[in-house]
Amino acid sequence: MTVTFTLHGKMKSGKNHVQITRTGRRYPNKSFAIWRDKMLRQINYKGKPLQGRVGLSAWYTPGDRLRRDAPGIQDALLHLFEKAGILTDDAQIKQVTWWEGPVRKEDPFCSIELQSLDE
């Protein structure tokens, strides 16, 4: 099974956006939660979660020339896929292909393909 979609807007890193309460509960900071909810609306996934090992292919086109933390963006995307119900656990990702394209100030985006490797 393959799931493909495109997310429009700047991608955030999943690192340094987690707050921890005094009791140890972890939660995203406000700006990350807003970004996450915006991306979830774009995904709008209604299918069943992918099972077994999954491969991720992504083409990211940034909106500016800032240096990017590709593993941090991938971390944020994996948590997003869990929240969207596409994956049950980000440990399912066993293969990653990541391309970064040229800057597009008017429409940064990330095209994503998730493919079951066990079929």
Side-chain angles (χ1 to χ4, degrees):
M1 179 177 180
T2 300
V3 176
T4 60
F5 51 89
T6 299
L7 299 173
H8 295 273
K10 291 182 180 180
M11 298 296 110
K12 282 197 176 269
S13 173
K15 299 176 182 176
N16 303 322
H17 288 285
V18 175
Q19 310 274 324
I20 302 173
T21 66
R22 290 183 198 146
T23 60
R25 189 177 77 76
R26 300 167 58 89
Y27 64 96
N29 68 22
K30 186 176 179 178
S31 70
F32 187 83
I34 290 168
W35 173 82
R36 178 199 63 206
D37 293 344
K38 177 181 173 186
M39 295 299 128
L40 285 171
R41 285 190 297 276
Q42 289 183 45
I43 294 173
N44 195 27
Y45 186 69
K46 302 290 187 202
K48 292 182 179 180
L50 296 174
Q51 299 297 311
R53 300 174 316 122
V54 176
L56 164 66
S57 296
W59 175 271
Y60 178 50
T61 302
D64 54 38
R65 295 194 184 281
L66 293 175
R67 289 182 54 196
R68 293 291 187 272
D69 176 21
I73 295 171
Q74 293 167 21
D75 181 59
L77 290 172
L78 296 180
H79 290 297
L80 185 66
F81 302 154
E82 283 184 53
K83 187 86 169 166
I86 300 170
L87 300 175
T88 55
D89 186 348
D90 61 7
Q92 290 176 260
I93 299 294
K94 301 300 182 190
Q95 179 180 354
V96 176
T97 305
W98 182 266
W99 296 278
E100 188 168 314
V103 172
R104 276 183 56 156
K105 289 183 181 182
E106 66 281 354
D107 184 26
F109 66 91
C110 189
S111 292
I112 295 160
E113 178 179 284
L114 294 163
Q115 183 174 21
S116 175
L117 299 174
D118 293 334
E119 291 182 345

